[in-house]
Amino acid sequence: MQIVILGAGLIGNPMARDLAQDSDKNVLIVDRDAQKLKELEKIDAIDVQVADATDPLILKELTSDAAVVINALPGFLGYQTLKHLLEFGKNVVDIAFFPEDALALQTLALKNQVTALVDCGVAPGMSNLLVGYGQSLLKKVEEVKIYVGGLPRVRQLPWEYKAVFSPIDVIEEYTRPARFKKDGKIVVKEPLTDPEFIDFPQVGTLEAFNSDGLRTLLYTIDAPDMVEKTLRYPGHREKVLFLKQTGLLDEAPLEINGQKIRPIDLTCQTLFKQWQLKPGEEDLTVMRVEVRGPDGGLQFDLLDFYDAKSGIHSMARTTGYTATIMARAMLNGLITEKGILPLEQLGHNHELVRFVFNEFHQRGIHYQQTEI
């Protein structure tokens, strides 16, 4: 059976390598940048294609034989691509993290009797599955807290940060309004607000701030209080705030020497070079999910590091393998529901949860569950 991966970036590349280990699967990975496909074309079990997957006609042809399509395009391309795939009658695992509401495509997905697992990364993604799983164990949920961050293992000034997934999506975390729930009502705040310091074993003190990672949880989990926060090394937040306050992340164009330039484009062009992970540079992923009910709660912790043996970064492992494991679960018949499915809606399926934990364990990624 064929799996098509759209996008061969930091996450797409490791996903293709992971799926290529299955003898019963044919993997086709597509990107319009031939350079990103160069390493993968040397692997016999992987087919590569240089193409613009955002063109509907090309996309339809590329995915005509696909049992599952994994959408790993940048967020600003994700929604329309998912819409086209549903129109073509394709089952999808989506990690594009687009700003639009995926649930708006529910009617289309049900009409074509296909399944789309959306926000299928580490967070949103595994964080959602854990919240849904926690809800199934606790029965009633009153509070959800999610803390997550991908960080370089070595802190280097000035930013003390490297982009461990699509840099443009990192900027989205800093500019997209953050939604959370307080006393049963959805509240919107600026990102980077409500900072707090939290100590994590083996990592140290990290700074958490509001970001828009709850997404579908706001509408699918009946809990009066929910928040999601991004984790960074202390000090990084203030530097990004400075960029925002000085207008360097503004989208309104300015005229400079007769040329119209958006400040955010210029800033990103500079930042992406500075935030690029260099060969051999290691990263880590840290996540904590707290789910509390009236009689106690559950805490799920993840701490994962760069895999020196494979050369695959932790964020690529924890994000990409969530998608590949879910694609396997779909093909193995562990997921049969149709429509747009956020992972929290699958948390009640304990057979699926055990499958996911076991698959991660085999890859050296461990989620620890404790009572709180």
Side-chain angles (χ1 to χ4, degrees), residues 119-169:
D119 282 347
C120 205
V122 60
M126 272 302 293
S127 57
N128 299 57
L129 185 73
L130 295 172
V131 171
Y133 178 55
Q135 182 188 51
S136 74
L137 296 174
L138 297 173
K139 308 304 180 187
K140 181 177 174 59
V141 176
E142 295 180 334
E143 183 181 35
V144 172
K145 291 182 178 180
I146 300 170
Y147 301 97
V148 62
L151 300 164
R153 289 197 70 171
V154 178
R155 300 174 63 172
Q156 292 180 316
L157 294 172
W159 296 104
E160 300 187 90
Y161 179 72
K162 292 292 179 75
V164 290
F165 56 97
S166 172
I168 193 65
D169 289 336

Side-chain angles (χ1 to χ4, degrees), residues 29-101:
I29 185 165
V30 181
D31 202 289
R32 58 185 172 189
D33 185 347
Q35 193 64 32
K36 291 181 179 179
L37 297 168
K38 212 164 188 179
E39 289 183 9
L40 294 172
E41 65 184 0
K42 302 173 185 176
I43 302 174
D44 291 339
I46 300 175
D47 295 322
V48 303
Q49 179 70 52
V50 179
D52 182 2
T54 62
D55 184 315
L57 294 178
I58 294 174
L59 181 64
K60 187 173 185 178
E61 182 178 352
L62 287 169
T63 60
S64 60
D65 296 326
V68 174
V69 179
I70 299 180
N71 182 16
L73 296 177
F76 68 94
L77 299 172
Y79 184 84
Q80 280 301 317
T81 302
L82 174 59
K83 183 173 182 289
H84 290 318
L85 291 169
L86 298 179
E87 290 169 343
F88 303 154
K90 294 300 170 181
N91 295 314
V92 183
V93 174
D94 194 291
I95 61 167
F97 192 61
F98 45 76
E100 296 89 348
D101 180 12

Side-chain angles (χ1 to χ4, degrees), residues 85-313:
L85 291 169
L86 298 179
E87 290 169 343
F88 303 154
K90 294 300 170 181
N91 295 314
V92 183
V93 174
D94 194 291
I95 61 167
F97 192 61
F98 45 76
E100 296 89 348
D101 180 12
L103 295 175
L105 297 173
Q106 183 70 274
T107 301
L108 177 61
L110 291 174
K111 175 186 174 183
N112 291 327
Q113 282 297 284
V114 291
T115 302
L117 306 181
V118 295
D119 282 347
C120 205
V122 60
M126 272 302 293
S127 57
N128 299 57
L129 185 73
L130 295 172
V131 171
Y133 178 55
Q135 182 188 51
S136 74
L137 296 174
L138 297 173
K139 308 304 180 187
K140 181 177 174 59
V141 176
E142 295 180 334
E143 183 181 35
V144 172
K145 291 182 178 180
I146 300 170
Y147 301 97
V148 62
L151 300 164
R153 289 197 70 171
V154 178
R155 300 174 63 172
Q156 292 180 316
L157 294 172
W159 296 104
E160 300 187 90
Y161 179 72
K162 292 292 179 75
V164 290
F165 56 97
S166 172
I168 193 65
D169 289 336
V170 175
I171 296 296
E172 276 279 307
E173 289 189 349
Y174 300 155
T175 58
R176 188 185 298 177
R179 297 166 296 169
F180 59 98
K181 281 179 76 174
K182 183 68 176 174
D183 298 327
K185 297 180 180 179
I186 295 177
V187 179
V188 180
K189 282 193 174 184
E190 284 296 305
L192 302 162
T193 51
D194 298 336
E196 58 179 307
F197 295 101
I198 305 173
D199 292 328
F200 291 90
Q202 301 183 61
V203 179
T205 302
L206 298 178
E207 187 172 18
F209 51 81
N210 288 330
S211 50
D212 192 46
L214 288 177
R215 295 167 68 80
T216 54
L217 288 170
L218 291 165
Y219 311 104
T220 58
I221 297 295
D222 185 19
D225 294 294
M226 290 195 287
V227 67
E228 190 265 4
K229 293 190 174 186
T230 290
L231 296 169
R232 294 288 184 262
Y233 291 123
H236 176 79
R237 171 182 166 273
E238 283 80 1
K239 295 180 176 72
V240 177
L241 274 175
F242 175 78
L243 294 177
K244 292 188 70 173
Q245 291 165 354
T246 53
L248 291 173
L249 294 181
D250 287 354
E251 296 186 7
L254 299 175
E255 187 166 327
I256 302 174
N257 295 329
Q259 298 290 326
K260 288 190 175 182
I261 299 174
R262 298 195 316 164
I264 191 171
D265 294 334
L266 178 61
T267 302
C268 288
Q269 190 77 7
T270 303
L271 286 181
F272 292 174
K273 293 178 182 178
Q274 297 180 23
W275 287 0
Q276 185 176 13
L277 278 166
K278 296 180 175 62
E281 288 187 333
E282 301 185 7
D283 71 324
L284 63 89
T285 304
V286 57
M287 181 166 72
R288 176 170 295 168
V289 177
E290 299 175 3
V291 185
R292 299 178 186 271
D295 301 314
L298 296 169
Q299 179 173 300
F300 303 92
D301 283 290
L302 167 71
L303 177 59
D304 185 69
F305 297 96
Y306 169 83
D307 182 11
K309 184 177 179 180
S310 66
I312 296 176
H313 290 99

